[in-house]
Amino acid sequence: MPSFSHFFQTFISSKGLFLDATLLTLKLTIVSILIGIIFGLFFALLKISRIKILEYISNAYVFLVRGTPLIVQIFILYFGFSGIFLIPDFWAAALALAFHNGAYIAEIFRGTIQSVDKGQMEAGRSLGMTRGTAMRRIILPQAFRRALPPLGNQFIIGLKDSSLAAFISMNELFNVATTLGSNHFDEMTYLLIVAIYYLVLVALLTMIVSMLEKKLAISDR
Amino acid sequence: MNSREMIKIENLNKSFGSLHVLKDIDLSVYESEVVCLVGSSGSGKSTLLRCLNFLEKKDGGSIFIRGEEISPDTHNINDVRQTVGMVFQHFNLFPHKTVLENIIEAPIIVKKIPKSEAVDEARELLQKVGLEDKADVYPSKLSGGQKQRVAIARSLAMKPDIMLFDEPTSALDPELVGEVLTTMKELADEGMTMVVVTHEMGFAREVADSIVFMNDGKILEKNCPEEFFDNPKEERTKEFLKTTALK
Ligand SMILES: Nc1ncnc2c1ncn2[C@@H]1O[C@H](COP(=O)(O)OP(=O)(O)OP(=O)(O)O)[C@@H](O)[C@H]1O
Ligand SMILES: [Mg+2]
C-alpha cells in the first residue's frame, strides 16, 4: 500500500487529468442515459402495445442486453459500427452504453406505466380520448414521475458501467487511472484515487436521487 | 313518458370467458329519465353500464344511442363517448393535474375548445358543484365527496347528453354521501338523462323515475319507485329489498 503522503501528493498532482476524465465520464453517462431513455420508452411502449410481434421484438431486445456482458456489447457495437460507418469513438461508446441502459430503462418504464391505476385509462377514454392520447396525456406523465427514482439508480449504475469504455480507448476515469498507473509503475495508488472519484460521484448522485424521492413523495397524491 | 329514446338496449349479451354475465338485456332510457340500477353484488350492473360506454365489448345484441345503432366497427367510439359521460366509484381523477386542469383537459384536447373558453366553463361547473375555491388544488388535497363532485364536473365539461354513474357514493365516508347525492339530484332536476348504479335506496326512491332490478345477469323487474319499493312483483325483488332494509 502507498503511504498516505505519497497518495495525497499523487492525488493533488493528478487532479487536472482526473477532472478532465470526470467530465468525460459524466458526459458519456448523461448522453447514454438520455439516449437510453428514448430507447427505453420506445421498447416499453412496444412491450405494452398488445401487438404480439412488437412484444416479441421488445422481449428480444431486453433478452439480448441482459443475456450478454456489457463489454461484449461494447466491442460488438464499436467494431461493428466503425466497420460500417465512421463514427467518433465517443459516439460508439455512448451508443453502446445507451443500447445497454435502454433495456433496463425499458423495464423501469414498463413497470411504472403498468403501475398507474387502470381507472386512469378508463377515465381518459370515457372522456373521449383515444388510447394514444390518454397514454400521452394521462398515463405517461404519471409513469415518468414514478420512474424518476429508479432512473436515478440506473444513472448511478450507468456511471460505473461507463468505465468499460476504457477498453475502446476512451479517456474516461478508469482509463486515465490505468494509464497513469502503468506509466508511473504505481497502479495501486491511481486505482485508489479513481475509486475515490467514483465514490464521490456516486455519493452526490445518491443524494440527488433521495432528494428527488422525497420531493415526489410530498407532491404525490 | 313519451319523450325521445336516448338509450335502447336490445338483447344484449356479454360473457367473460365461460361466465355469462349479461343475459338478453332489453332496456330503454328516455330523455331526462333517471334510471337507478339496483341488484346484489355480481349481478352485472357495472358490466351493463360499461357496455353502454363501450368500456366493455358486448358479445351480442344492439345498443342504440339517440336512435342510432352504435358499434365499434361502424362508429368512432371516442365520439360516442363524448356524448355519454361516466362517473366512477373511485373518482379516477388525474392526480398530476389540478382540479381545474382535470376539468379542462378533455374539452381542450378532445374537443379542441380554446383554453380561455374551457377555463370559463370549468369555473362555472365548479361553482355549480360548490367547489369554485378548489380550482387550483390537486386532487390529493380533496375529501372523497369533493373528489366525486370534481369528477362529475369533469364529465359535464364534455356536455354529454347522458350520464352514467357506477356506485358514485360507495367509496365515500357516510357523512360525505349527501353532498354528492345533492349534486346528482340537481343534475336530475335540470333534465339530465341518467343511469345510476347505486345502493342508496333513499336516493333511488326520491330521484329515480324508474328502478331496474338486476339479478344474475338479467333484468327481473323495471318499475316506478313507488311500485318497486311498496309493491314488488318478483320474489327475488322482495328478498333483495329485505336485505337492503336491514342495512
Ligand atoms: N373484467 C372481468 N373479467 C372477468 N370477470 C368479470 C370482469 N368484470 C366483471 N366480471 C364478473 O362479472 C360478474 C358481474 O360483475 P359486475 O361488476 O358487473 O357486477 P356488479 O353488479 O357491478 O357487482 P357489484 O355490486 O359488486 O359492483 C361478476 O361475477 C364479476 O366477477
Ligand atoms: Mg359494480
Side-chain angles (χ1 to χ4, degrees), chain B residues 45-47 89 166-167 197:
Chain B
K45 307 178 297 290
S46 295
T47 306
Q89 181 176 358
D166 192 358
E167 301 199 29
V197 174

Side-chain angles (χ1 to χ4, degrees), chain A residues 119-120 122 125 137 221, chain B residues 50 78 81 92-93 105 140:
Chain A
Q120 292 287 307
E122 293 191 344
R125 307 237 38 201
R137 301 281 313 178
R221 303 254 140 181
Chain B
R50 292 164 61 81
N78 301 315
R81 287 204 181 105
N92 299 350
L93 292 178
E105 174 73 13
S140 57

Side-chain angles (χ1 to χ4, degrees), chain A residues 117 119-120 122-130 133 137-138 141-142 221, chain B residues 50 53 78 81 88 92-97 105-106 109-110 140 154 158:
Chain A
D117 182 63
Q120 292 287 307
E122 293 191 344
R125 307 237 38 201
S126 79
L127 291 164
M129 294 181 199
T130 61
T133 304
R137 301 281 313 178
I138 308 301
Q142 297 182 55
R221 303 254 140 181
Chain B
R50 292 164 61 81
N53 207 13
N78 301 315
R81 287 204 181 105
F88 301 88
N92 299 350
L93 292 178
F94 307 135
H96 59 303
K97 293 180 183 289
E105 174 73 13
I109 298 300
V110 179
S140 57
R154 179 178 68 177
M158 293 302 280

